[in-house]
Amino acid sequence: MTIGSEDELEKLKIAGRVVAQTLKAMGEALEPGITTRELDAIGRRLLELEGARAAPELTYGFPGATCISIGPDVAHGIPDDRAIAAGDLVNIDVSAEIDGFFGDTGASFAVPPVAPRVERLCRDGRRALWTGIRAVRAGGELGAIGRSIEAFADRNGYSLIRNLASHGVGAALHEEPREIPTWNEPGDRRRIDEGLVFTIEPFLSLGDDWVDETGDGWTLRPTHGTPTVQYEHTLVATRRGPVVLTLGE
């Protein structure tokens, strides 16, 4: 989606705020003993209170309002009766539609106590995301995002999952540009149009570079089960730089 009016931008900001606040509340509810189904119910209730519809259900018939993955799984986990335990690395992805516009955000949460290397991974996952956001410039190269994130990962001794990419969003959950690499793709010459709405969501790993479907039709897991995190924002490219829509403000 490329924004054509202030009204569209305001509606996207509303969708972004709703998913961001839902993600925040779900993260605060994380504790040993809560099941992913109970956590998903919190997310569903908050979305419905805002008049929003869960995008995974709406778009793909996903069996849950939100995607909740317990490590080593990293994406598209189905909410069920599994209980969160101390030491778990949990990814929550929240996306929703409200008034015809979509917001999409996600984050990984380490349930204490966790190893120092996992704490650092979470910290650096957030840093990797913002490294990519700072590379966004209307008129600039879309590939600058992946180059910046890969350079960060290389400097800090991480790998990146390379079969999960960022994407366009706005009037639908996934739209053009369908795949925005969070790694360096030298042949990518696409430009960032002013007003383009898209996500940035690097999957930073302690060694893996690929995910496989686990057999349930949805859940994705790194090939070698290495700790991996994902952090995601929806943003719009403007002349003044990126406007992040999912900060929850």
Side-chain angles (χ1 to χ4, degrees):
M1 179 180 185
T2 301
I3 289 177
S5 68
E6 282 295 322
D7 181 62
E8 288 179 339
L9 177 58
E10 287 307 310
K11 288 180 177 179
L12 283 164
K13 285 181 177 179
I14 291 170
R17 174 184 56 78
V18 169
V19 296
Q21 291 180 348
T22 300
L23 176 66
K24 181 175 184 290
M26 292 176 70
E28 290 172 347
L30 262 179
E31 62 179 5
I34 191 171
T35 69
T36 57
R37 195 185 307 277
E38 291 169 334
L39 197 58
D40 183 64
I42 292 172
R44 182 185 297 280
R45 183 175 69 252
L46 292 172
L47 293 176
E48 290 177 348
L49 283 172
E50 296 286 351
R53 296 187 292 174
E57 283 183 334
L58 178 66
T59 305
Y60 298 112
F62 179 77
T66 64
C67 300
I68 306 172
S69 309
I70 302 176
D73 302 338
V74 296
H76 305 167
I78 300 171
D80 59 19
D81 294 323
R82 179 177 172 183
I84 303 294
D88 278 342
L89 184 57
V90 182
N91 180 266
I92 302 174
D93 195 303
V94 181
S95 55
E97 177 271 339
I98 183 167
D99 199 18
F101 292 84
F102 287 74
D104 191 1
T105 189
S108 295
F109 301 86
V111 183
V114 294
R117 68 175 187 148
V118 174
E119 290 183 350
R120 288 194 298 271
L121 176 65
C122 291
R123 178 201 67 193
D124 287 340
R126 293 186 289 269
R127 293 174 64 198
L129 168 61
W130 281 99
T131 296
I133 291 172
R134 286 192 293 270
V136 172
R137 179 173 60 84
E141 290 186 3
L142 202 58
I145 298 168
R147 286 197 299 273
S148 298
I149 293 172
E150 183 171 308
F152 172 87
D154 288 347
R155 283 196 308 271
N156 291 281
Y158 298 105
S159 59
L160 292 160
I161 300 298
R162 293 173 182 262
N163 61 328
L164 290 172
S166 308
H167 56 88
V169 66
L173 178 58
H174 294 103
E175 54 185 35
E176 296 297 333
R178 289 284 174 174
E179 292 197 1
I180 303 171
T182 58
W183 57 91
N184 183 31
E185 281 285 2
D188 191 350
R189 295 289 180 263
R190 294 174 294 173
R191 294 281 173 177
I192 301 173
D193 294 332
E194 183 179 352
L196 183 66
V197 187
F198 58 99
T199 71
I200 297 180
E201 48 178 312
F203 286 78
L204 196 71
S205 179
L206 288 175
D208 267 303
D209 61 6
W210 204 259
V211 293
D212 306 297
E213 199 263 301
T214 61
D216 63 9
W218 297 101
T219 307
L220 300 175
R221 179 179 298 167
T223 300
H224 304 291
T226 308
T228 301
V229 297
Q230 176 249 26
Y231 294 88
E232 175 183 16
H233 275 311
T234 296
L235 57 102
V236 56
T238 76
R239 293 180 188 177
R240 299 178 298 278
V243 174
V244 180
L245 302 173
T246 46
L247 290 176
E249 298 171 349

